[in-house]
Amino acid sequence: MRSSLIRPLVQQLHAYVPGEQPKIKGLIKLNTNENPYPPSPRVLKAVKAAVDGRLRLYPNPTAQALREKLAKLHGCGPENVIVGNGSDEVLIMAVRAFVEPTVGLASRLSPSKKGKKLEPGRMPVLCKSDSIVQYFAPSYSLYPVLADIHGAARNPVPLNANFTMPSVPELKCGGLWDFNAALTLITTPNAPSGRGYATAELEKLCRATKGVVVLDEAYVDFARENAMKLALKYPHVLVARTFSKAYSLCFQRVGYFVGHPELIAALDKIRDSYNVNGLGQVAAVATLEDLKYYRANFRKIISTREKLSRALTLLGFRVLPSQTNFILAKPPGSVLPASRRQDAGGTLTAKDWLQKLREKKILVRWFSQPEVKDYLRITIGTPAEAEALVKAVKVILR
Ligand SMILES: Cc1ncc(COP(=O)(O)O)c(C=O)c1O
């Protein structure tokens, strides 16, 4: 037997840690950016109607009907769309399709480097950028894990201190951004900060960056603008969307990319044959037939977000402006030394707040990364849930 059955890369891997899904009665769950409103009645009816003997059959392998509907929605053709088992799946597919693993890279470096000419059919010239997965920090914490799983190199580039995006001249000056990185993943609006980014700024960054750029718009339905037009304008830009957040469909796992047919065809080659389950396809198609219902929910969530942000600000929290269905909020006094926290209206760190709120059956999210460790990320729930949160905060502050 080999000394280990497991690849060294996998042995060393730190797996992605998803938000908790505890089954505690009466818990107000504001930790994983789920939508507080159920899917539309039409979606539930369509899914129920599909649960019969047909479950024995394979689903449509290319999610054809769904891709056609999505194409219509975004003003493109089905060849511009690929669907995945959640947008997480299309993200990992992008890493696999566009990024060279670093492992073995040296041995595959161009013979021309050694003074020999490249023979036809040999690997093309590879350079360090070909192995880079690049993203801003902080952003979606899955990106580094995807890079690690693939054996790629990561290039996290810090956002500005207030979580705004550095401009192209700033990135050029900073010297950290790799304008040739094989794959750049941009969470827009940003998670976990909630900040929205202007499409004009994103366009400048896309134009300057030569590898594939994914604009991960998981939360864009809660934002003022979206950048879908860039995916249809530039051959190296993909926009990722999901049915999980705005469309109340986490359970069914449906996400997709829109982009140039050449990129989409490359992704399609490495796709599992039946990657999107049948009920997920049915639910997503029915969702697109009832967008009015969802748009009303976006408005409710945005209104609750603004009210909750104001209420927490009045209680001494520093709440960042959000374009998403969550807020990032710094509790009062949480960054002061323990001796001064009492005067500032709080004696607790953000991590303590997580625990205190949990004791009151309210679950929010806390991340240990240095840029965000003083904050809580709070998903926007119903108005009643927001009220319960404010009430609990008042009690804790007392
Ligand atoms: C920025 C971002 N992108 C993608 C996803 C993945 O969503 P899905 O449920 O479609 O896999 C998430 C989920 O939390 C997210 O926060």
Side-chain angles (χ1 to χ4, degrees):
M1 206 135 91
R2 278 168 47 188
S3 62
S4 173
L5 299 174
I6 297 160
R7 291 171 61 204
L9 181 146
V10 178
Q11 285 177 38
Q12 284 158 24
L13 202 66
H14 292 285
Y16 175 72
V17 184
E20 264 185 282
Q21 298 292 350
K23 295 277 167 283
I24 300 173
K25 222 173 147 216
L27 184 79
I28 296 182
K29 200 173 167 300
L30 306 177
N31 66 329
T32 46
N33 299 342
E34 288 145 327
N35 197 306
Y37 302 108
S40 106
R42 284 171 67 175
V43 170
L44 297 179
K45 200 168 152 208
V47 173
K48 280 178 196 157
V51 179
D52 59 23
R54 284 171 296 171
L55 290 188
R56 77 190 172 81
L57 300 173
Y58 281 108
N60 183 290
T62 61
Q64 184 66 22
L66 176 56
R67 284 173 43 247
E68 280 170 13
K69 276 211 172 297
L70 287 168
K72 205 161 164 217
L73 177 70
H74 297 304
C76 57
E79 67 282 5
N80 292 102
V81 184
I82 187 163
V83 185
N85 182 38
S87 53
D88 282 350
E89 194 201 15
V90 286
L91 293 172
I92 187 72
M93 278 160 59
V95 177
R96 284 164 52 211
F98 307 130
V99 186
E100 281 293 340
T102 54
V103 185
L105 178 66
S107 63
R108 285 183 285 121
L109 273 176
S110 156
S112 62
K113 287 247 157 97
K114 297 172 207 150
K116 288 185 206 150
K117 254 188 117 193
L118 197 69
E119 289 161 26
R122 295 288 299 271
M123 287 293 293
V125 181
L126 296 174
C127 69
K128 199 168 151 265
S129 299
D130 294 332
S131 294
I132 287 185
V133 176
Q134 173 166 256
Y135 47 89
F136 285 113
S139 61
Y140 185 26
S141 51
L142 180 71
Y143 303 154
V145 181
L146 297 183
D148 290 354
I149 291 172
H150 190 60
R154 319 167 180 177
N155 189 31
V157 176
L159 286 169
N160 296 325
N162 57 1
F163 304 104
T164 54
M165 199 168 62
S167 65
V168 171
E170 281 167 346
L171 288 171
K172 281 190 176 151
C173 218
L176 294 176
W177 191 259
D178 183 339
F179 287 89
N180 291 307
L183 180 65
T184 297
L185 302 164
I186 302 177
T187 317
T188 170
N190 179 258
S193 74
R195 282 251 186 231
Y197 299 133
T199 303
E201 286 308 303
L202 291 167
E203 181 160 12
K204 284 181 203 155
L205 186 52
C206 288
R207 287 172 76 111
T209 305
K210 302 302 171 208
V212 174
V213 180
V214 170
L215 303 174
D216 181 350
E217 292 195 329
Y219 300 100
V220 85
D221 296 284
F222 308 103
R224 275 194 290 271
E225 53 180 321
N226 71 72
M228 184 55 84
K229 67 174 188 192
L230 303 185
L232 300 173
K233 185 170 172 186
Y234 296 101
H236 68 305
V237 177
L238 292 163
V239 163
R241 295 274 181 96
T242 176
F243 282 82
S244 292
K245 316 291 177 179
Y247 301 95
S248 306
L249 220 55
C250 295
F251 195 79
Q252 294 281 14
R253 313 295 304 122
V254 187
Y256 61 99
F257 272 151
V258 174
H260 193 278
E262 205 179 314
L263 294 188
I264 299 294
L267 292 161
D268 202 47
K269 280 191 194 167
I270 58 164
R271 186 177 57 76
D272 280 351
S273 316
Y274 303 101
N275 64 325
V276 188
N277 80 80
L279 294 179
Q281 293 186 35
V282 166
V285 166
T287 298
L288 296 177
E289 284 165 359
D290 201 4
L291 289 178
K292 216 169 135 212
Y293 167 89
Y294 293 94
R295 288 180 179 143
N297 287 348
F298 305 160
R299 286 194 290 275
K300 282 194 261 181
I301 290 168
I302 291 169
S303 153
T304 310
R305 177 184 79 200
E306 298 309 308
K307 278 190 197 137
L308 178 64
S309 300
R310 277 195 296 275
L312 290 178
T313 304
L314 285 174
L315 291 170
F317 280 67
R318 182 181 170 229
V319 183
L320 293 177
S322 170
Q323 297 270 306
T324 61
N325 69 335
F326 58 85
I327 51 173
L328 194 69
K330 192 184 273 189
S334 61
V335 287
L336 295 177
S339 56
R340 286 190 49 214
R341 279 190 214 136
Q342 191 70 56
D343 312 332
T347 57
L348 308 168
T349 64
K351 195 176 176 193
D352 295 333
W353 273 92
L354 175 78
Q355 188 51 35
K356 288 276 169 200
L357 286 168
R358 197 189 171 102
E359 284 162 17
K360 303 208 167 309
K361 287 203 169 178
I362 299 178
L363 191 54
V364 298
R365 192 98 188 256
W366 175 78
F367 296 96
S368 60
Q369 288 99 315
E371 312 93 332
V372 287
K373 71 169 182 25
D374 295 325
Y375 292 85
L376 297 174
R377 195 195 69 185
I378 304 168
T379 303
I380 304 303
T382 61
E385 289 172 331
E387 266 173 44
L389 173 70
V390 170
K391 207 168 143 198
V393 165
K394 284 181 180 164
V395 172
I396 294 168
L397 281 175
R398 243 182 260 143

